[in-house]
Amino acid sequence: MISVVIPTLNAETSLPRVLSALVPAAVRGTVREVVIADGGSTDETAEIAEAAGAKFIRAPRGRGSQLAAGAKAAKGTWLLFLHADTVLQPGWESEVEKLFEQIGNGRFRGPELAAAFRFTLDDFSGAARFVEQAVALRCALFKLPYGDQGLLVNRRLYDKIGGYREMPLMEDVDLVRRIGRRRLVMLRGRAVTSPERYVRDGFARRIARNALCLTLYYLRVPPRVIARIYS
């Protein structure tokens, strides 16, 4: 039923945990395949994917390009896009199965929906809690989850809106905007993401840079320009 698509680039440290969190859903038959779309790893990423029984494909480097390639190779009726450092918390599969049940019972207007998880950082600092609350507020007000929250999309909807575009940055925001608020469900389960980027750059600086990039995107600044600012 679900094809999980994970873009990777030298992800040998984080990928095992990400894949382990998918095992219960695979045992229950909810997850049917995992597609690793790799952008040219030089570490043990390919070997880890092979050992886990995942489909490993090469794609042009860039998260948008890799996600698009992974979706093209996937066969499931639902696509779950996960970052290579985002671990779904236990029980996520039960909540997704309940969502599918409600779709089948007519709770929603057809299956053309998408869903995202709650953002959580794997860090115990107060700054991490502040970031989580800010993301929760953004999702509550604007229904605008980012890719590090995991994104579950019905395949028919994904194809209808044109899927991921090959963008250097903001590919997740671009896709979510085309999905639209009315077709997006916010789940209760948590997606726990590595705080490495926040710790490396500083929480305040990372928050400010993310906010600036989002603002520039809505002002229609070309993504290639935003990517230079981001990096």
Side-chain angles (χ1 to χ4, degrees):
M1 184 177 293
I2 295 177
S3 293
V4 181
V5 178
I6 305 173
T8 58
L9 180 63
N10 295 329
E12 64 178 9
T13 301
S14 60
L15 187 58
R17 291 183 60 206
V18 177
L19 294 174
S20 294
L22 303 176
V23 171
V27 171
R28 295 167 68 147
T30 306
V31 167
R32 300 295 177 86
E33 67 173 348
V34 177
V35 179
I36 305 295
D38 190 74
S41 294
T42 56
D43 62 1
E44 300 297 317
T45 297
E47 288 76 9
I48 293 170
E50 182 180 356
K55 180 187 297 184
F56 186 86
I57 65 170
R58 298 286 186 180
R61 182 176 298 188
R63 189 170 281 158
S65 301
Q66 291 171 235
L67 288 166
K72 185 176 180 180
K75 299 178 181 178
T77 54
W78 287 82
L79 302 172
L80 174 56
F81 299 101
L82 279 181
H83 287 185
D85 61 351
T86 297
V87 180
L88 298 181
Q89 288 298 277
W92 72 268
E93 68 279 359
S94 297
E95 187 170 14
V96 168
E97 289 168 5
K98 184 175 181 179
L99 173 65
F100 292 162
E101 181 181 342
Q102 291 183 349
I103 291 173
N105 291 337
R107 171 67 174 79
F108 299 96
R109 295 181 179 178
E112 293 186 8
L113 294 172
F117 297 89
R118 294 172 63 188
F119 174 80
T120 305
L121 282 172
D122 192 10
D123 187 272
F124 295 108
S125 67
R129 301 291 82 77
F130 175 81
V131 173
E132 292 167 2
Q133 292 172 11
V135 172
L137 181 62
R138 184 189 72 219
C139 292
L141 294 178
F142 306 112
K143 283 285 187 77
L144 190 61
Y146 285 178
D148 50 13
Q149 293 175 244
L151 187 61
L152 178 68
V153 188
N154 175 263
R155 182 58 186 252
R156 192 162 61 188
L157 172 61
Y158 178 86
D159 291 338
K160 178 184 291 187
I161 64 176
Y164 274 104
R165 293 169 176 165
E166 296 185 2
M167 301 168 60
L169 201 70
M170 313 301 289
E171 75 288 333
D172 47 359
V173 176
D174 175 70
L175 182 68
V176 168
R177 285 191 67 190
R178 283 182 284 127
I179 289 171
R181 295 168 56 97
R182 295 183 178 181
R183 294 185 293 200
L184 184 64
V185 177
M186 297 305 303
L187 301 172
R188 295 185 301 270
R190 295 180 179 273
V192 181
T193 294
S194 168
E196 179 181 352
R197 292 168 296 168
Y198 288 91
V199 173
R200 181 189 64 223
D201 299 339
F203 278 84
R205 184 177 180 184
R206 170 64 64 168
I207 293 169
R209 185 161 56 182
N210 288 348
L212 173 62
C213 290
L214 183 61
T215 301
L216 293 175
Y217 173 81
Y218 275 97
L219 291 175
R220 300 186 182 278
V221 175
R224 64 180 183 278
V225 176
I226 302 175
R228 288 201 295 269
I229 296 172
Y230 185 83
S231 61

mmCIF file of all heavy atoms in Angstrom, residues 34-84:
data_model
loop_
_atom_site.group_PDB
_atom_site.id
_atom_site.type_symbol
_atom_site.label_atom_id
_atom_site.label_comp_id
_atom_site.label_asym_id
_atom_site.label_seq_id
_atom_site.Cartn_x
_atom_site.Cartn_y
_atom_site.Cartn_z
ATOM 1 N N VAL A 34 10.525 0.120 0.107
ATOM 2 C CA VAL A 34 11.295 1.306 0.451
ATOM 3 C C VAL A 34 12.230 1.600 -0.718
ATOM 4 O O VAL A 34 12.962 0.723 -1.168
ATOM 5 C CB VAL A 34 12.117 1.102 1.743
ATOM 6 C CG1 VAL A 34 12.962 2.333 2.031
ATOM 7 C CG2 VAL A 34 11.201 0.798 2.925
ATOM 8 N N VAL A 35 12.169 2.828 -1.201
ATOM 9 C CA VAL A 35 13.012 3.244 -2.318
ATOM 10 C C VAL A 35 14.026 4.260 -1.803
ATOM 11 O O VAL A 35 13.649 5.316 -1.286
ATOM 12 C CB VAL A 35 12.180 3.869 -3.453
ATOM 13 C CG1 VAL A 35 13.092 4.311 -4.597
ATOM 14 C CG2 VAL A 35 11.123 2.886 -3.951
ATOM 15 N N ILE A 36 15.294 3.947 -1.931
ATOM 16 C CA ILE A 36 16.367 4.860 -1.559
ATOM 17 C C ILE A 36 16.844 5.546 -2.830
ATOM 18 O O ILE A 36 17.368 4.899 -3.734
ATOM 19 C CB ILE A 36 17.544 4.116 -0.899
ATOM 20 C CG1 ILE A 36 17.065 3.295 0.300
ATOM 21 C CG2 ILE A 36 18.636 5.106 -0.489
ATOM 22 C CD1 ILE A 36 16.515 4.096 1.435
ATOM 23 N N ALA A 37 16.645 6.857 -2.907
ATOM 24 C CA ALA A 37 17.081 7.633 -4.071
ATOM 25 C C ALA A 37 18.361 8.366 -3.693
ATOM 26 O O ALA A 37 18.326 9.368 -2.978
ATOM 27 C CB ALA A 37 15.994 8.614 -4.492
ATOM 28 N N ASP A 38 19.475 7.849 -4.151
ATOM 29 C CA ASP A 38 20.776 8.322 -3.678
ATOM 30 C C ASP A 38 21.389 9.327 -4.646
ATOM 31 O O ASP A 38 21.346 9.160 -5.865
ATOM 32 C CB ASP A 38 21.726 7.138 -3.502
ATOM 33 C CG ASP A 38 22.993 7.538 -2.793
ATOM 34 O OD1 ASP A 38 22.928 7.754 -1.564
ATOM 35 O OD2 ASP A 38 24.043 7.653 -3.458
ATOM 36 N N GLY A 39 21.997 10.369 -4.073
ATOM 37 C CA GLY A 39 22.580 11.428 -4.870
ATOM 38 C C GLY A 39 24.071 11.315 -5.074
ATOM 39 O O GLY A 39 24.717 12.308 -5.435
ATOM 40 N N GLY A 40 24.619 10.107 -4.840
ATOM 41 C CA GLY A 40 26.054 9.919 -5.069
ATOM 42 C C GLY A 40 26.851 9.684 -3.802
ATOM 43 O O GLY A 40 27.966 10.215 -3.645
ATOM 44 N N SER A 41 26.327 8.867 -2.900
ATOM 45 C CA SER A 41 27.010 8.593 -1.634
ATOM 46 C C SER A 41 28.336 7.878 -1.868
ATOM 47 O O SER A 41 28.463 7.032 -2.761
ATOM 48 C CB SER A 41 26.121 7.736 -0.724
ATOM 49 O OG SER A 41 24.974 8.449 -0.327
ATOM 50 N N THR A 42 29.322 8.194 -1.017
ATOM 51 C CA THR A 42 30.617 7.527 -1.070
ATOM 52 C C THR A 42 30.880 6.712 0.194
ATOM 53 O O THR A 42 31.967 6.183 0.373
ATOM 54 C CB THR A 42 31.737 8.564 -1.249
ATOM 55 O OG1 THR A 42 31.666 9.536 -0.187
ATOM 56 C CG2 THR A 42 31.596 9.287 -2.581
ATOM 57 N N ASP A 43 29.866 6.607 1.059
ATOM 58 C CA ASP A 43 30.016 5.823 2.290
ATOM 59 C C ASP A 43 29.279 4.496 2.124
ATOM 60 O O ASP A 43 29.170 3.967 1.032
ATOM 61 C CB ASP A 43 29.519 6.623 3.498
ATOM 62 C CG ASP A 43 28.031 6.970 3.400
ATOM 63 O OD1 ASP A 43 27.388 6.571 2.395
ATOM 64 O OD2 ASP A 43 27.504 7.612 4.319
ATOM 65 N N GLU A 44 28.749 3.951 3.205
ATOM 66 C CA GLU A 44 28.110 2.630 3.184
ATOM 67 C C GLU A 44 26.587 2.695 2.988
ATOM 68 O O GLU A 44 25.888 1.733 3.282
ATOM 69 C CB GLU A 44 28.411 1.897 4.500
ATOM 70 C CG GLU A 44 29.886 1.680 4.770
ATOM 71 C CD GLU A 44 30.517 0.783 3.720
ATOM 72 O OE1 GLU A 44 29.880 -0.237 3.353
ATOM 73 O OE2 GLU A 44 31.636 1.100 3.273
ATOM 74 N N THR A 45 26.077 3.819 2.503
ATOM 75 C CA THR A 45 24.631 3.965 2.323
ATOM 76 C C THR A 45 24.052 2.871 1.440
ATOM 77 O O THR A 45 23.011 2.281 1.762
ATOM 78 C CB THR A 45 24.305 5.347 1.724
ATOM 79 O OG1 THR A 45 24.700 6.375 2.639
ATOM 80 C CG2 THR A 45 22.817 5.486 1.447
ATOM 81 N N ALA A 46 24.677 2.577 0.332
ATOM 82 C CA ALA A 46 24.161 1.560 -0.592
ATOM 83 C C ALA A 46 24.125 0.184 0.058
ATOM 84 O O ALA A 46 23.157 -0.569 -0.107
ATOM 85 C CB ALA A 46 25.014 1.526 -1.858
ATOM 86 N N GLU A 47 25.158 -0.154 0.816
ATOM 87 C CA GLU A 47 25.209 -1.455 1.475
ATOM 88 C C GLU A 47 24.126 -1.579 2.545
ATOM 89 O O GLU A 47 23.516 -2.642 2.702
ATOM 90 C CB GLU A 47 26.595 -1.670 2.096
ATOM 91 C CG GLU A 47 27.709 -1.918 1.092
ATOM 92 C CD GLU A 47 28.183 -0.657 0.371
ATOM 93 O OE1 GLU A 47 27.753 0.451 0.779
ATOM 94 O OE2 GLU A 47 28.972 -0.777 -0.587
ATOM 95 N N ILE A 48 23.876 -0.488 3.264
ATOM 96 C CA ILE A 48 22.827 -0.496 4.286
ATOM 97 C C ILE A 48 21.463 -0.691 3.638
ATOM 98 O O ILE A 48 20.633 -1.469 4.118
ATOM 99 C CB ILE A 48 22.867 0.805 5.103
ATOM 100 C CG1 ILE A 48 24.151 0.882 5.935
ATOM 101 C CG2 ILE A 48 21.646 0.935 6.000
ATOM 102 C CD1 ILE A 48 24.390 2.226 6.580
ATOM 103 N N ALA A 49 21.219 0.002 2.548
ATOM 104 C CA ALA A 49 19.948 -0.137 1.837
ATOM 105 C C ALA A 49 19.764 -1.561 1.327
ATOM 106 O O ALA A 49 18.675 -2.136 1.443
ATOM 107 C CB ALA A 49 19.900 0.854 0.680
ATOM 108 N N GLU A 50 20.800 -2.131 0.774
ATOM 109 C CA GLU A 50 20.713 -3.491 0.249
ATOM 110 C C GLU A 50 20.445 -4.493 1.361
ATOM 111 O O GLU A 50 19.618 -5.402 1.204
ATOM 112 C CB GLU A 50 22.011 -3.855 -0.471
ATOM 113 C CG GLU A 50 22.003 -5.242 -1.088
ATOM 114 C CD GLU A 50 23.301 -5.570 -1.801
ATOM 115 O OE1 GLU A 50 24.183 -4.684 -1.879
ATOM 116 O OE2 GLU A 50 23.448 -6.717 -2.272
ATOM 117 N N ALA A 51 21.128 -4.329 2.501
ATOM 118 C CA ALA A 51 20.927 -5.238 3.623
ATOM 119 C C ALA A 51 19.502 -5.163 4.164
ATOM 120 O O ALA A 51 18.975 -6.152 4.680
ATOM 121 C CB ALA A 51 21.927 -4.920 4.733
ATOM 122 N N ALA A 52 18.880 -3.998 4.036
ATOM 123 C CA ALA A 52 17.513 -3.815 4.539
ATOM 124 C C ALA A 52 16.465 -4.265 3.522
ATOM 125 O O ALA A 52 15.271 -4.243 3.817
ATOM 126 C CB ALA A 52 17.287 -2.347 4.889
ATOM 127 N N GLY A 53 16.894 -4.642 2.333
ATOM 128 C CA GLY A 53 15.946 -5.073 1.307
ATOM 129 C C GLY A 53 15.285 -3.924 0.576
ATOM 130 O O GLY A 53 14.249 -4.114 -0.065
ATOM 131 N N ALA A 54 15.876 -2.737 0.653
ATOM 132 C CA ALA A 54 15.308 -1.575 -0.024
ATOM 133 C C ALA A 54 15.746 -1.536 -1.485
ATOM 134 O O ALA A 54 16.780 -2.088 -1.861
ATOM 135 C CB ALA A 54 15.742 -0.292 0.687
ATOM 136 N N LYS A 55 14.950 -0.879 -2.302
ATOM 137 C CA LYS A 55 15.316 -0.637 -3.695
ATOM 138 C C LYS A 55 16.234 0.579 -3.726
ATOM 139 O O LYS A 55 15.879 1.655 -3.244
ATOM 140 C CB LYS A 55 14.070 -0.394 -4.531
ATOM 141 C CG LYS A 55 14.346 -0.135 -6.009
ATOM 142 C CD LYS A 55 13.086 0.271 -6.756
ATOM 143 C CE LYS A 55 12.040 -0.825 -6.749
ATOM 144 N NZ LYS A 55 10.852 -0.442 -7.556
ATOM 145 N N PHE A 56 17.412 0.417 -4.313
ATOM 146 C CA PHE A 56 18.411 1.484 -4.327
ATOM 147 C C PHE A 56 18.569 1.997 -5.753
ATOM 148 O O PHE A 56 18.870 1.236 -6.668
ATOM 149 C CB PHE A 56 19.746 0.963 -3.804
ATOM 150 C CG PHE A 56 20.811 2.022 -3.651
ATOM 151 C CD1 PHE A 56 20.901 2.765 -2.496
ATOM 152 C CD2 PHE A 56 21.722 2.259 -4.676
ATOM 153 C CE1 PHE A 56 21.879 3.750 -2.347
ATOM 154 C CE2 PHE A 56 22.703 3.234 -4.540
ATOM 155 C CZ PHE A 56 22.780 3.971 -3.374
ATOM 156 N N ILE A 57 18.327 3.303 -5.945
ATOM 157 C CA ILE A 57 18.480 3.887 -7.271
ATOM 158 C C ILE A 57 19.392 5.107 -7.188
ATOM 159 O O ILE A 57 19.503 5.754 -6.147
ATOM 160 C CB ILE A 57 17.129 4.296 -7.885
ATOM 161 C CG1 ILE A 57 16.484 5.431 -7.074
ATOM 162 C CG2 ILE A 57 16.184 3.108 -7.993
ATOM 163 C CD1 ILE A 57 15.276 6.051 -7.751
ATOM 164 N N ARG A 58 20.059 5.411 -8.271
ATOM 165 C CA ARG A 58 20.875 6.613 -8.366
ATOM 166 C C ARG A 58 20.048 7.723 -9.009
ATOM 167 O O ARG A 58 19.251 7.471 -9.910
ATOM 168 C CB ARG A 58 22.116 6.351 -9.216
ATOM 169 C CG ARG A 58 23.057 5.294 -8.645
ATOM 170 C CD ARG A 58 23.820 5.818 -7.450
ATOM 171 N NE ARG A 58 24.815 4.851 -6.982
ATOM 172 C CZ ARG A 58 25.615 5.062 -5.942
ATOM 173 N NH1 ARG A 58 25.522 6.211 -5.265
ATOM 174 N NH2 ARG A 58 26.488 4.137 -5.565
ATOM 175 N N ALA A 59 20.258 8.945 -8.527
ATOM 176 C CA ALA A 59 19.502 10.086 -9.052
ATOM 177 C C ALA A 59 20.410 11.299 -9.059
ATOM 178 O O ALA A 59 21.401 11.360 -8.318
ATOM 179 C CB ALA A 59 18.266 10.348 -8.184
ATOM 180 N N PRO A 60 20.110 12.299 -9.900
ATOM 181 C CA PRO A 60 20.881 13.540 -9.873
ATOM 182 C C PRO A 60 20.839 14.154 -8.481
ATOM 183 O O PRO A 60 19.787 14.192 -7.842
ATOM 184 C CB PRO A 60 20.163 14.430 -10.897
ATOM 185 C CG PRO A 60 19.471 13.472 -11.802
ATOM 186 C CD PRO A 60 19.064 12.320 -10.944
ATOM 187 N N ARG A 61 21.995 14.629 -8.015
ATOM 188 C CA ARG A 61 22.067 15.167 -6.660
ATOM 189 C C ARG A 61 21.167 16.385 -6.494
ATOM 190 O O ARG A 61 21.090 17.245 -7.364
ATOM 191 C CB ARG A 61 23.506 15.535 -6.304
ATOM 192 C CG ARG A 61 23.664 16.052 -4.884
ATOM 193 C CD ARG A 61 25.116 16.322 -4.547
ATOM 194 N NE ARG A 61 25.936 15.115 -4.609
ATOM 195 C CZ ARG A 61 27.213 15.051 -4.211
ATOM 196 N NH1 ARG A 61 27.796 16.134 -3.715
ATOM 197 N NH2 ARG A 61 27.888 13.922 -4.317
ATOM 198 N N GLY A 62 20.491 16.426 -5.371
ATOM 199 C CA GLY A 62 19.526 17.484 -5.078
ATOM 200 C C GLY A 62 18.257 16.840 -4.569
ATOM 201 O O GLY A 62 17.734 15.931 -5.205
ATOM 202 N N ARG A 63 17.766 17.306 -3.426
ATOM 203 C CA ARG A 63 16.634 16.617 -2.797
ATOM 204 C C ARG A 63 15.408 16.563 -3.692
ATOM 205 O O ARG A 63 14.734 15.535 -3.781
ATOM 206 C CB ARG A 63 16.308 17.283 -1.459
ATOM 207 C CG ARG A 63 15.290 16.521 -0.631
ATOM 208 C CD ARG A 63 15.210 17.098 0.764
ATOM 209 N NE ARG A 63 16.311 16.632 1.588
ATOM 210 C CZ ARG A 63 16.736 17.278 2.686
ATOM 211 N NH1 ARG A 63 16.190 18.420 3.033
ATOM 212 N NH2 ARG A 63 17.727 16.778 3.399
ATOM 213 N N GLY A 64 15.105 17.651 -4.389
ATOM 214 C CA GLY A 64 13.954 17.645 -5.281
ATOM 215 C C GLY A 64 14.090 16.613 -6.382
ATOM 216 O O GLY A 64 13.155 15.855 -6.671
ATOM 217 N N SER A 65 15.266 16.561 -6.997
ATOM 218 C CA SER A 65 15.516 15.593 -8.072
ATOM 219 C C SER A 65 15.458 14.168 -7.556
ATOM 220 O O SER A 65 14.894 13.277 -8.205
ATOM 221 C CB SER A 65 16.883 15.861 -8.708
ATOM 222 O OG SER A 65 16.952 17.161 -9.242
ATOM 223 N N GLN A 66 16.021 13.944 -6.386
ATOM 224 C CA GLN A 66 16.046 12.595 -5.815
ATOM 225 C C GLN A 66 14.651 12.137 -5.416
ATOM 226 O O GLN A 66 14.277 10.981 -5.636
ATOM 227 C CB GLN A 66 16.996 12.554 -4.609
ATOM 228 C CG GLN A 66 18.460 12.707 -4.993
ATOM 229 C CD GLN A 66 19.371 12.884 -3.790
ATOM 230 O OE1 GLN A 66 20.125 13.836 -3.706
ATOM 231 N NE2 GLN A 66 19.310 11.963 -2.842
ATOM 232 N N LEU A 67 13.867 13.020 -4.830
ATOM 233 C CA LEU A 67 12.504 12.668 -4.449
ATOM 234 C C LEU A 67 11.657 12.353 -5.681
ATOM 235 O O LEU A 67 10.871 11.399 -5.678
ATOM 236 C CB LEU A 67 11.870 13.800 -3.648
ATOM 237 C CG LEU A 67 12.398 13.990 -2.222
ATOM 238 C CD1 LEU A 67 11.951 15.332 -1.662
ATOM 239 C CD2 LEU A 67 11.946 12.851 -1.318
ATOM 240 N N ALA A 68 11.827 13.151 -6.732
ATOM 241 C CA ALA A 68 11.086 12.906 -7.964
ATOM 242 C C ALA A 68 11.462 11.563 -8.573
ATOM 243 O O ALA A 68 10.591 10.802 -9.022
ATOM 244 C CB ALA A 68 11.350 14.037 -8.965
ATOM 245 N N ALA A 69 12.750 11.247 -8.571
ATOM 246 C CA ALA A 69 13.210 9.971 -9.120
ATOM 247 C C ALA A 69 12.712 8.796 -8.282
ATOM 248 O O ALA A 69 12.310 7.755 -8.810
ATOM 249 C CB ALA A 69 14.730 9.956 -9.194
ATOM 250 N N GLY A 70 12.741 8.953 -6.955
ATOM 251 C CA GLY A 70 12.250 7.897 -6.084
ATOM 252 C C GLY A 70 10.776 7.631 -6.261
ATOM 253 O O GLY A 70 10.330 6.474 -6.291
ATOM 254 N N ALA A 71 9.990 8.706 -6.408
ATOM 255 C CA ALA A 71 8.548 8.546 -6.626
ATOM 256 C C ALA A 71 8.271 7.849 -7.955
ATOM 257 O O ALA A 71 7.362 7.022 -8.061
ATOM 258 C CB ALA A 71 7.869 9.912 -6.595
ATOM 259 N N LYS A 72 9.060 8.171 -8.962
ATOM 260 C CA LYS A 72 8.882 7.544 -10.275
ATOM 261 C C LYS A 72 9.148 6.047 -10.215
ATOM 262 O O LYS A 72 8.484 5.250 -10.896
ATOM 263 C CB LYS A 72 9.812 8.209 -11.289
ATOM 264 C CG LYS A 72 9.620 7.727 -12.714
ATOM 265 C CD LYS A 72 10.513 8.500 -13.674
ATOM 266 C CE LYS A 72 10.311 8.024 -15.111
ATOM 267 N NZ LYS A 72 11.188 8.788 -16.057
ATOM 268 N N ALA A 73 10.103 5.648 -9.374
ATOM 269 C CA ALA A 73 10.449 4.230 -9.260
ATOM 270 C C ALA A 73 9.518 3.462 -8.325
ATOM 271 O O ALA A 73 9.496 2.233 -8.347
ATOM 272 C CB ALA A 73 11.891 4.086 -8.759
ATOM 273 N N ALA A 74 8.749 4.172 -7.510
ATOM 274 C CA ALA A 74 7.879 3.537 -6.521
ATOM 275 C C ALA A 74 6.591 3.022 -7.156
ATOM 276 O O ALA A 74 6.115 3.561 -8.150
ATOM 277 C CB ALA A 74 7.550 4.530 -5.406
ATOM 278 N N LYS A 75 5.994 1.995 -6.549
ATOM 279 C CA LYS A 75 4.808 1.354 -7.103
ATOM 280 C C LYS A 75 3.574 1.457 -6.207
ATOM 281 O O LYS A 75 2.498 1.015 -6.586
ATOM 282 C CB LYS A 75 5.102 -0.123 -7.373
ATOM 283 C CG LYS A 75 6.231 -0.350 -8.371
ATOM 284 C CD LYS A 75 6.517 -1.827 -8.554
ATOM 285 C CE LYS A 75 7.664 -2.059 -9.543
ATOM 286 N NZ LYS A 75 7.974 -3.504 -9.697
ATOM 287 N N GLY A 76 3.728 2.007 -5.008
ATOM 288 C CA GLY A 76 2.620 2.022 -4.059
ATOM 289 C C GLY A 76 1.516 2.991 -4.421
ATOM 290 O O GLY A 76 1.712 3.940 -5.184
ATOM 291 N N THR A 77 0.329 2.747 -3.868
ATOM 292 C CA THR A 77 -0.792 3.664 -4.066
ATOM 293 C C THR A 77 -0.681 4.889 -3.159
ATOM 294 O O THR A 77 -1.385 5.877 -3.359
ATOM 295 C CB THR A 77 -2.133 2.954 -3.782
ATOM 296 O OG1 THR A 77 -2.086 2.375 -2.476
ATOM 297 C CG2 THR A 77 -2.377 1.860 -4.803
ATOM 298 N N TRP A 78 0.193 4.795 -2.165
ATOM 299 C CA TRP A 78 0.531 5.933 -1.308
ATOM 300 C C TRP A 78 2.046 6.064 -1.267
ATOM 301 O O TRP A 78 2.761 5.068 -1.257
ATOM 302 C CB TRP A 78 -0.012 5.747 0.114
ATOM 303 C CG TRP A 78 -1.491 5.908 0.218
ATOM 304 C CD1 TRP A 78 -2.446 4.971 -0.059
ATOM 305 C CD2 TRP A 78 -2.200 7.077 0.618
ATOM 306 N NE1 TRP A 78 -3.709 5.477 0.139
ATOM 307 C CE2 TRP A 78 -3.581 6.782 0.564
ATOM 308 C CE3 TRP A 78 -1.805 8.353 1.023
ATOM 309 C CZ2 TRP A 78 -4.559 7.712 0.896
ATOM 310 C CZ3 TRP A 78 -2.780 9.289 1.350
ATOM 311 C CH2 TRP A 78 -4.138 8.963 1.290
ATOM 312 N N LEU A 79 2.518 7.304 -1.228
ATOM 313 C CA LEU A 79 3.948 7.594 -1.175
ATOM 314 C C LEU A 79 4.257 8.303 0.143
ATOM 315 O O LEU A 79 3.617 9.306 0.480
ATOM 316 C CB LEU A 79 4.356 8.488 -2.344
ATOM 317 C CG LEU A 79 4.054 7.945 -3.744
ATOM 318 C CD1 LEU A 79 4.332 9.018 -4.793
ATOM 319 C CD2 LEU A 79 4.857 6.690 -4.027
ATOM 320 N N LEU A 80 5.218 7.771 0.878
ATOM 321 C CA LEU A 80 5.652 8.401 2.127
ATOM 322 C C LEU A 80 7.078 8.897 1.927
ATOM 323 O O LEU A 80 8.012 8.109 1.792
ATOM 324 C CB LEU A 80 5.589 7.403 3.285
ATOM 325 C CG LEU A 80 6.154 7.882 4.631
ATOM 326 C CD1 LEU A 80 5.490 9.178 5.093
ATOM 327 C CD2 LEU A 80 6.000 6.793 5.693
ATOM 328 N N PHE A 81 7.228 10.213 1.882
ATOM 329 C CA PHE A 81 8.541 10.817 1.672
ATOM 330 C C PHE A 81 9.175 11.131 3.026
ATOM 331 O O PHE A 81 8.594 11.853 3.837
ATOM 332 C CB PHE A 81 8.404 12.096 0.846
ATOM 333 C CG PHE A 81 7.828 11.855 -0.527
ATOM 334 C CD1 PHE A 81 6.491 12.118 -0.789
ATOM 335 C CD2 PHE A 81 8.623 11.364 -1.552
ATOM 336 C CE1 PHE A 81 5.949 11.906 -2.047
ATOM 337 C CE2 PHE A 81 8.089 11.139 -2.816
ATOM 338 C CZ PHE A 81 6.756 11.404 -3.064
ATOM 339 N N LEU A 82 10.359 10.592 3.239
ATOM 340 C CA LEU A 82 11.068 10.773 4.500
ATOM 341 C C LEU A 82 12.481 11.263 4.243
ATOM 342 O O LEU A 82 13.143 10.780 3.318
ATOM 343 C CB LEU A 82 11.168 9.446 5.264
ATOM 344 C CG LEU A 82 9.987 8.950 6.076
ATOM 345 C CD1 LEU A 82 10.358 7.627 6.755
ATOM 346 C CD2 LEU A 82 9.574 9.967 7.133
ATOM 347 N N HIS A 83 12.950 12.201 5.061
ATOM 348 C CA HIS A 83 14.345 12.575 4.998
ATOM 349 C C HIS A 83 15.195 11.484 5.646
ATOM 350 O O HIS A 83 14.701 10.718 6.493
ATOM 351 C CB HIS A 83 14.572 13.902 5.713
ATOM 352 C CG HIS A 83 14.054 15.081 4.947
ATOM 353 N ND1 HIS A 83 14.233 16.384 5.354
ATOM 354 C CD2 HIS A 83 13.363 15.149 3.774
ATOM 355 C CE1 HIS A 83 13.675 17.209 4.473
ATOM 356 N NE2 HIS A 83 13.135 16.484 3.522
ATOM 357 N N ALA A 84 16.451 11.435 5.280
ATOM 358 C CA ALA A 84 17.332 10.361 5.754
ATOM 359 C C ALA A 84 17.763 10.543 7.204
ATOM 360 O O ALA A 84 18.475 9.681 7.741
ATOM 361 C CB ALA A 84 18.570 10.271 4.858
#
